[in-house]
Amino acid sequence: MGQLEQFTTSVDAVVSRMRALDATLPERDGIAVFNRVYLAVTEAVDRRIDGSGFPDARAAITLDARFAERYLAAVDAVADERRPPACWRPLFQFRRHPGVRPLQFALAGINAHIGHDLALAVVDSCRTLNCEPADLEDEFDRVGDLLVSLEERIREDLMPGPDLLQIADPLTHLLGAFSLDRARDATWSAARALWALRRLPDVAEEFTERLDAAVGFAGRMLLTPLPD
């Protein structure tokens, strides 16, 4: 098996894991809501890769796989009764709360995955490919563009109606503070900082812990229970 085929197999493996989760989790479970969204994103990225939508397929596949593995590691941690990263804890804690709406679950998962996991996935990919973050910037931007385009669809699919009432809905105000585009920009800066700190492991660990905690705090706000 060639090297590119090996990378492709790793992407297929994470897609299979997410499909298996989709088949086993209750539909209203907060992890299930995010998993469906993320599965759609990952499949869209894979279609773009298959259609030569990325100049460097190997880099795109590596980033896609390392990114997904961070989410699946959090799922595995909870299944094994271990603590997941702080950024994921609010979603697991509130995953069955009746006062949290599906759109909140989806965006809290996106917040954890983009705000924390993506920065670490860039560093993981640089180590795997023996490259610098700048070498992955095109792939990072293209994946980010797909995520941003899907965010609007997510909001449309999961936002409660009717439209005339949305301006008065507390959910509208809560979500107005969240921007995936801004989160992506912050993540790129965090990835570059972590790469620059790779030879200072104590400082890099502290930076990562603080990033994790900050993203977790934002996730907890996104999951504020709301009245119907």
Side-chain angles (χ1 to χ4, degrees), residues 113-162:
H113 204 38
I114 301 297
H116 173 266
D117 292 355
L118 184 53
L120 274 61
V122 170
V123 174
D124 293 342
S125 299
C126 287
R127 288 179 173 141
T128 298
L129 298 169
N130 192 28
C131 68
E132 298 285 325
D135 299 321
L136 296 177
E137 189 167 7
D138 285 347
E139 287 68 36
F140 179 94
D141 286 342
R142 287 171 189 258
V143 170
D145 288 344
L146 271 176
L147 289 165
V148 170
S149 68
L150 285 169
E151 182 192 17
E152 187 61 33
R153 194 185 80 186
I154 292 164
R155 289 175 183 259
E156 290 175 357
D157 289 348
L158 297 179
M159 177 70 87

Side-chain angles (χ1 to χ4, degrees), residues 41-174:
V41 169
T42 304
E43 290 174 335
V45 171
D46 288 345
R47 287 193 296 271
R48 182 73 63 86
I49 291 170
D50 291 342
S52 301
F54 290 89
D56 187 340
R58 180 169 172 259
I61 290 168
T62 301
L63 181 59
D64 193 25
R66 298 295 87 80
F67 187 31
E69 286 164 0
R70 289 273 171 183
Y71 157 61
L72 294 172
V75 172
D76 290 340
V78 173
D80 294 339
E81 299 185 347
R82 293 180 285 111
R83 294 186 79 190
C87 62
W88 284 106
R89 287 173 206 158
L91 183 54
F92 282 99
Q93 180 182 358
F94 286 84
R95 62 192 292 182
R96 298 182 181 92
H97 196 295
V100 179
R101 303 187 195 177
L103 181 55
Q104 292 175 265
F105 289 136
L107 292 185
I110 290 171
N111 170 71
H113 204 38
I114 301 297
H116 173 266
D117 292 355
L118 184 53
L120 274 61
V122 170
V123 174
D124 293 342
S125 299
C126 287
R127 288 179 173 141
T128 298
L129 298 169
N130 192 28
C131 68
E132 298 285 325
D135 299 321
L136 296 177
E137 189 167 7
D138 285 347
E139 287 68 36
F140 179 94
D141 286 342
R142 287 171 189 258
V143 170
D145 288 344
L146 271 176
L147 289 165
V148 170
S149 68
L150 285 169
E151 182 192 17
E152 187 61 33
R153 194 185 80 186
I154 292 164
R155 289 175 183 259
E156 290 175 357
D157 289 348
L158 297 179
M159 177 70 87
D163 291 347
L164 290 176
L165 298 180
Q166 287 182 12
I167 193 169
D169 193 317
L171 183 59
T172 302
H173 300 281
L174 179 67

